[in-house]
């Protein structure tokens, strides 16, 4: 069957920011072939990613200010009405929602508007580490209900599908695993001399630098990393810590570092556009998340060849190939994290092995691989574009 000129796809996401869900979505919108005419709807956004700016004027992009992360009866209702009208007017062949809030409102609006195919990517899930028990129970119930009229649910790892199914969300046949695609090229390039990078952070040449990259929010587990560092610092006088990122916990974390007595050895670097360069100065990358769909920052560090210590949480073990490409420790434990960090600090041979294995493993998470799988999924669900059911 010949391809028709276009198939109309609408992506709905709660907000565009520096997180993995927004990057994944923007790469999809910008990278698929012209047979898919794509539009993007998003909520109020404070941090405008560079790729989003490049897409302006090239595709339809609509901001809905009422589409926000926190539950709000009035705003959620207003966002639902706006989404319904936009979807009804657009006559889309497929609506692809991203993240929890947009996933519920977008799928409900699309169903009411009669869209024939619905796809949802949770980009991880909110069933642990994000909200209290009552809110989590509500989200689980809503996800169970919405899964009944969703054609495919895209997990970043196989573990994500298992987590959903264990909670009674969806059926096995609905799930497909498509890891986030990451442009590895900037991270695979040889970096400058590590000592020069450390000097730019006002660290001595002898410094041993461990660090992480991510939003400063509870689910990312930074408090446990600071606890681990406070336990290690007396025994490793040259040890320093760098936190790349910003967020709601910045005041709390800076206070925690100061009270530890080792605050002068902790660098809060905010968001940086030179992360590939910075990673060249890291001796160890620590990823202490309590819940993670996949972890783009983790894969980027692996691609840079930095040995990794990470929590055994969410999809992280799968990304690290069960521990072959990084050291896994129990989550939510500063003591366990400190033990893993110390083990690698004291064994250069293991560090080198994990760094090499991580670099090789990272090549499984390229942008081209992600786009190929998403294109195949769309063609399967929209027969006129070359697939069939």
């Amino acid at each position: 069957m010949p391809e028709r000129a276009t198939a109309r796809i609408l992506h709905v996401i709660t907000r565009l920011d520096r997180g993995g869900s927004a990057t994944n979505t923007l790469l999809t919108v910008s990278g698929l072939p012209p047979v898919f005419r794509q539009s993007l709807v998003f909520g109020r956004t404070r941090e405008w990613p560079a790729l989003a700016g490049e897409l302006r004027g090239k595709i339809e992009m609509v901001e809905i200010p009422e589409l926000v992360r926190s539950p709000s009866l009035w705003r959620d209702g207003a966002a639902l009405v706006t989404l319904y009208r936009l979807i009804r007017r657009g006559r889309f062949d497929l609506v692809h929602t991203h993240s929890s809030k947009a996933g519920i409102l977008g799928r409900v609006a699309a169903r009411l508007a009669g869209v024939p195919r619905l796809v949802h990517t949770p980009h991880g899930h909110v069933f642990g580490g994000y909200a209290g028990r009552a809110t989590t129970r509500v989200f689980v119930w809503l996800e169970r209900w919405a899964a009944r009229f969703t054609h495919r649910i895209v997990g970043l790892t196989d573990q994500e599908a298992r987590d959903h199914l264990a909670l009674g969300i969806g059926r096995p046949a609905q799930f497909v695993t498509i890891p986030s695609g990451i442009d590895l090229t900037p991270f695979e390039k040889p970096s400058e001399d590590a000592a020069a990078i450390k000097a730019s952070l006002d660290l001595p040449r002898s410094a041993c630098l461990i660090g992480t990259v991510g939003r400063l929010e509870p689910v990312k587990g930074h408090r446990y990393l600071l606890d681990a560092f406070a336990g290690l610092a007396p025994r490793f006088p040259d040890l320093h810590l760098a936190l790349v990122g910003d967020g709601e916990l910045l005041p709390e974390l800076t206070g925690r570092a100061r009270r530890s007595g080792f605050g002068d050895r902790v660098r809060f670097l905010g968001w940086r556009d030179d992360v590939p360069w910075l990673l060249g100065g890291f001796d160890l990358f620590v990823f202490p998340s309590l819940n993670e769909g996949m972890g783009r920052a983790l894969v980027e560090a692996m691609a840079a060849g930095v040995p990794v210590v990470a929590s055994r949480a969410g999809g992280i073990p799968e990304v690290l190939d069960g521990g072959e490409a990084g050291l896994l420790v129990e989550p939510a434990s500063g003591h366990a994290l400190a033990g893993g960090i110390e083990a690698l600090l004291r064994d250069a041979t293991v560090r080198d092995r994990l760094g090499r294995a991580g670099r090789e493993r990272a090549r499984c998470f390229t942008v081209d691989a992600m786009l190929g799988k998403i294109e195949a999924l769309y063609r399967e669900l929209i027969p006129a574009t070359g697939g069939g059911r």
Side-chain angles (χ1 to χ4, degrees):
M1 179 184 295
E3 291 188 347
R4 64 181 181 184
T6 57
R8 294 217 62 191
I9 312 290
L10 175 67
H11 295 265
V12 185
I13 189 168
T14 309
R15 67 182 186 186
L16 297 177
D17 54 22
R18 292 176 180 265
S21 58
T23 303
N24 176 300
T25 304
L26 290 167
L27 287 170
T28 300
V29 170
S30 63
L32 289 180
V35 68
F36 302 108
R37 181 183 170 192
Q38 299 183 89
S39 301
L40 177 62
V41 170
F42 52 93
R44 179 65 59 83
T45 298
R46 293 175 298 176
E47 303 162 351
W48 194 260
L51 184 53
E54 295 172 11
L55 287 172
R56 272 182 159 173
K58 298 180 181 179
I59 68 164
E60 179 186 26
M61 300 178 67
V62 180
E63 181 177 358
I64 299 179
E66 296 81 12
L67 183 55
V68 296
R69 289 186 72 183
S70 300
S72 168
L73 187 60
W74 179 86
R75 288 181 177 177
D76 293 348
L80 179 62
V81 171
T82 302
L83 280 168
Y84 167 78
R85 291 173 176 169
L86 187 150
I87 294 171
R88 184 80 173 176
R89 184 171 62 249
R91 299 175 63 85
F92 294 99
D93 298 287
L94 184 149
V95 168
H96 189 159
T97 60
H98 304 262
S99 69
S100 297
K101 174 66 84 67
I104 297 298
L105 295 178
R107 281 179 286 174
V108 171
R111 190 188 190 201
L112 292 173
V115 176
R117 294 292 183 268
L118 302 180
V119 174
H120 176 55
T121 302
H123 296 281
H125 57 67
V126 296
F127 311 140
Y130 282 92
R133 291 183 179 180
T135 302
T136 298
R137 283 197 295 268
V138 171
F139 268 110
V140 169
W141 183 87
L142 288 171
E143 290 290 348
R144 287 173 180 166
W145 173 67
R148 296 176 185 174
F149 50 89
T150 303
H151 295 84
R152 293 291 185 275
I153 300 172
V154 178
L156 304 180
T157 60
D158 293 340
Q159 182 60 46
E160 196 171 337
R162 290 192 289 268
D163 289 345
H164 279 73
L165 291 169
L167 291 168
I169 299 170
R171 306 177 308 278
Q174 288 176 277
F175 287 89
V176 57
T177 297
I178 303 179
S180 278
I182 301 171
D183 181 6
L184 302 178
T185 306
F187 299 92
E188 292 178 329
K189 294 179 180 177
S191 185
E192 293 184 22
D193 179 60
I197 298 172
K198 292 173 183 177
S200 75
L201 301 177
D202 197 26
L203 298 177
R205 292 183 63 89
S206 62
C208 177
L209 182 61
I210 64 174
T212 193
V213 178
R215 297 187 306 277
L216 304 184
E217 57 183 40
V219 75
K220 296 299 182 179
H222 291 93
R223 58 168 291 191
Y224 301 103
L225 176 53
L226 284 172
D227 289 349
F229 181 77
L232 292 168
R235 302 198 301 279
F236 294 88
D238 291 329
L239 190 64
H240 291 73
L241 172 64
L243 304 182
V244 181
D246 201 351
E248 63 187 84
L249 288 188
L250 179 60
E252 177 185 326
L253 295 174
T254 53
R256 197 180 193 94
R258 185 175 58 253
R259 290 189 300 273
S260 74
F262 302 100
D264 60 329
R265 289 159 61 180
V266 180
R267 299 290 188 272
F268 289 88
L269 302 181
W271 288 119
R272 300 278 296 244
D273 293 324
D274 58 352
V275 171
W277 178 78
L278 274 177
L279 287 173
F282 280 28
D283 296 284
L284 202 64
F285 186 84
V286 187
F287 204 61
S289 289
L290 311 182
N291 180 14
E292 196 75 45
M294 189 185 98
R296 297 181 67 88
L298 172 62
V299 176
E300 290 168 354
M302 293 161 61
V306 184
V308 167
V309 176
S311 307
R312 193 184 300 275
I316 294 173
E318 197 169 323
V319 173
L320 292 177
D321 195 19
E324 293 297 316
L327 182 62
L328 292 164
V329 301
E330 291 306 304
S333 170
H335 177 74
L337 205 57
I341 294 170
E342 181 168 5
L344 291 195
L345 290 178
R346 295 191 182 280
D347 196 329
T349 301
V350 175
R351 286 201 309 275
D352 291 344
R353 176 176 62 79
L354 292 178
R356 291 193 301 272
R359 189 188 292 273
E360 184 65 29
R361 176 67 173 165
R363 296 182 181 131
C364 299
F365 304 94
T366 65
V367 174
D368 286 345
M370 178 190 76
L371 291 175
K373 291 179 180 179
I374 291 176
E375 179 179 353
L377 174 63
Y378 288 176
R379 290 185 183 277
E380 173 194 353
L381 294 176
I382 309 173
T385 60
R389 293 200 70 185

